[in-house]
Amino acid sequence: MLSRMRKSRAFILLLSSLTTLGLVLPLLPGGRNTHCACPRCLTEGTDEFSQVLRTAPKPFLLKSSKTTEEDFNWWKVQREKKTFSVFTTKIDELFQIFPPSPNLVGPSPDRCRTCAVVGNSGNLRGSHYGHLIDSHDIVIRMNRGVTTGYEVDVGSKTTHHVMYPESAKMLVNTTHLVFIPFKIKDLQWLQKNFVPGAKWRANKDLVMILNPAFMRYVHETLLQKRGRYPSTGFLSVAFSMQMCDQVSVFGFGADSHGNWYHYFETLRNRRLKTGPHAGTHEYNVILQLHDEAKLQFFQGF
């Protein structure tokens, strides 16, 4: 067992070096890609999944974009009682505080942009994924995920942190806040915490608000309407595929003994709880995308 673990860690270090050089995934038939400078690009090809990615709504709200009333009606998953007009007014108010989210830069044959999406599963313990995670251009963490004291396994780099009010934590000035609103009250929370004198801290110039239309797209197209709405983790995977040419996923699912818990917490409850999310289905979708070489899924230890 010890010998196997040493070999696994040696492989991870080698894989980290290859990822940095853009050499992990094999070339597509025909040689060099035209979509991006990676050996394989997410939007390359004419298969159904690539088409689905290219037709997705903008993942983040823009000052100039408007969510439709149909999207709003789907978004009211938390028994939202306020009207569509209240929603649009609140969005207008938020963009008086925050700068308009920039349009995402599309693929280019001169660039290979890599994303690491880091969940909080206990399977990260002992994984030694830290260096591999930090080698990515964009590192997305979520909810109450921490790095201090766990750098060897989870890395130390965070470019984007995903959260909603109930999972909020303060962020350093260089990290993008990716805010997932599930109700108008969440948008009010965001507004309240960026007024002068607020104790909560994050860089208002790096705030990105997930688009309800994109959330609906993920639920209906990628998850086939399973669960009441997508989890924070799966939404993070979905929007990373709009931001990057290659995506690697870490820290999702149970550990090797079948236990579900956070790597920064002590295991107390061995029962799987996924709340209103179709957790097992989401996990299987990620596995399928890995099998189809659409992303790389590192399952931990």
Side-chain angles (χ1 to χ4, degrees), residues 1-300:
M1 175 64 74
L2 182 60
S3 174
R4 187 184 308 164
M5 290 179 65
R6 286 172 178 164
K7 289 179 181 178
S8 297
R9 288 168 182 167
F11 174 73
I12 290 165
L13 293 176
L14 172 62
L15 190 58
S16 175
S17 300
L18 294 176
T19 300
T20 303
L21 295 173
L23 299 174
V24 172
L25 294 175
L27 283 170
L28 288 174
R32 189 179 188 278
N33 289 321
T34 58
H35 281 220
C36 71
C38 305
R40 183 185 293 245
C41 311
L42 269 169
T43 53
E44 189 80 19
T46 58
D47 62 290
E48 182 179 355
F49 182 75
S50 298
Q51 297 284 357
V52 165
L53 285 184
R54 288 195 286 266
T55 58
K58 297 292 184 184
F60 303 108
L61 286 174
L62 305 173
K63 188 174 183 179
S64 59
S65 66
K66 299 294 183 182
T67 301
T68 68
E69 188 164 3
E70 185 179 2
D71 291 328
F72 171 79
N73 288 333
W74 172 88
W75 180 75
K76 296 192 302 181
V77 293
Q78 298 276 18
R79 299 185 178 89
E80 178 62 65
K81 296 180 180 179
K82 293 184 172 63
T83 63
F84 179 59
S85 62
V86 173
F87 170 81
T88 56
T89 298
K90 185 56 60 180
I91 295 298
D92 289 340
E93 291 175 358
L94 286 174
F95 280 117
Q96 293 175 20
I97 300 173
F98 307 117
S101 297
N103 282 310
L104 299 181
V105 178
S108 166
D110 301 319
R111 182 185 62 245
C112 176
R113 181 175 294 165
T114 60
C115 272
V117 183
V118 187
N120 297 323
S121 170
N123 67 37
L124 285 171
R125 286 191 184 181
S127 67
H128 285 234
Y129 285 155
H131 182 69
L132 175 58
I133 289 170
D134 286 346
S135 70
H136 291 74
D137 299 314
I138 293 175
V139 178
I140 301 168
R141 302 185 193 274
M142 59 200 69
N143 298 330
R144 295 191 176 91
V146 296
T147 57
T148 303
Y150 303 94
E151 293 88 347
V152 171
D153 293 332
V154 307
S156 59
K157 178 179 178 179
T158 306
T159 61
H160 295 69
H161 201 109
V162 183
M163 64 182 72
Y164 53 95
E166 290 82 0
S167 70
K169 60 177 291 183
M170 294 187 183
L171 302 180
V172 299
N173 199 49
T174 56
T175 298
H176 289 80
L177 164 59
V178 180
F179 188 76
I180 299 183
F182 290 104
K183 49 192 180 295
I184 291 177
K185 188 176 181 180
D186 293 347
L187 298 174
Q188 294 170 332
W189 179 94
L190 187 63
Q191 183 179 29
K192 180 182 70 175
N193 280 281
F194 281 91
V195 298
K199 294 181 180 180
W200 194 78
R201 187 178 68 249
N203 188 338
K204 75 176 183 65
D205 294 327
L206 298 180
V207 171
M208 307 167 80
I209 305 171
L210 204 67
N211 185 351
F214 184 77
M215 297 167 68
R216 179 186 178 194
Y217 152 84
V218 172
H219 181 249
E220 295 183 350
T221 305
L222 299 183
L223 294 178
Q224 299 296 300
K225 301 183 180 180
R226 297 287 291 273
R228 197 168 65 183
Y229 54 91
S231 68
T232 303
F234 195 85
L235 285 169
S236 300
V237 173
F239 75 70
S240 75
M241 293 190 291
Q242 299 293 320
M243 295 173 63
C244 286
D245 305 308
Q246 284 187 355
V247 172
S248 301
V249 177
F250 304 83
F252 281 61
D255 66 12
S256 59
H257 301 290
N259 299 318
W260 293 73
Y261 65 104
H262 297 151
Y263 66 84
F264 49 85
E265 296 175 345
T266 301
L267 173 63
R268 290 190 173 90
N269 190 340
R270 297 173 183 268
R271 291 181 298 171
L272 168 62
K273 291 184 178 181
T274 59
H277 316 302
T280 301
H281 181 67
E282 291 182 350
Y283 182 81
N284 289 335
V285 170
I286 293 172
L287 279 178
Q288 180 180 350
L289 293 175
H290 171 80
D291 291 342
E292 296 174 358
K294 299 302 182 183
L295 53 74
Q296 291 177 285
F297 182 31
F298 296 87
Q299 298 184 52

